[in-house]
Amino acid sequence: MEPTVIDVPESDRFEIRDGDRVLGLAAYQRRGDTFVFHHTEVDPDAGQSGLGSTLVREALDEVRSRGGAVVPTCSFVAGWIERHPEYADLVADRG
């Protein structure tokens, strides 16, 4: 089964799952249409590489589809966006 990414707004996070098993999460605080990503983690025992990248890409795609913006205070999300400049337009102006 291919892992899927879902938004779990009642827990303020996106999760990457294999069936019912949570393999990782990207936690956020919501400020209107802006998602402040402050923590990302992936189960090191999941046995699959690239889960963090899949999680972040799909979470950002979902934010984009909603017309939202992101503030990447999590170093993993910030680094991922730096390596994928096609997502830089999602970063909210902090100024």
Side-chain angles (χ1 to χ4, degrees):
M1 177 182 274
E2 194 70 23
T4 57
V5 175
I6 62 167
D7 185 13
V8 186
E10 63 274 10
S11 296
D12 297 322
R13 66 191 198 180
F14 285 89
E15 295 177 349
I16 187 165
R17 296 181 177 183
D18 184 4
D20 291 335
R21 181 176 173 216
V22 177
L23 305 174
L25 62 92
Y28 61 79
Q29 291 179 326
R30 188 102 187 251
R31 297 182 186 156
D33 291 334
T34 300
F35 291 74
V36 180
F37 285 96
H38 58 86
H39 179 73
T40 304
E41 65 181 70
V42 174
D43 181 354
D45 298 324
Q48 299 180 43
S49 64
L51 290 174
S53 289
T54 299
L55 171 60
V56 171
R57 179 185 308 276
E58 293 193 26
L60 295 180
D61 285 346
E62 181 63 24
V63 170
R64 184 186 304 279
S65 76
R66 297 178 189 178
V70 301
V71 175
T73 61
C74 166
S75 61
F76 185 84
V77 175
W80 194 92
I81 292 171
E82 283 181 22
R83 291 186 305 279
H84 299 88
E86 65 273 22
Y87 286 85
D89 64 306
L90 287 175
V91 177
D93 181 11
R94 295 186 195 190

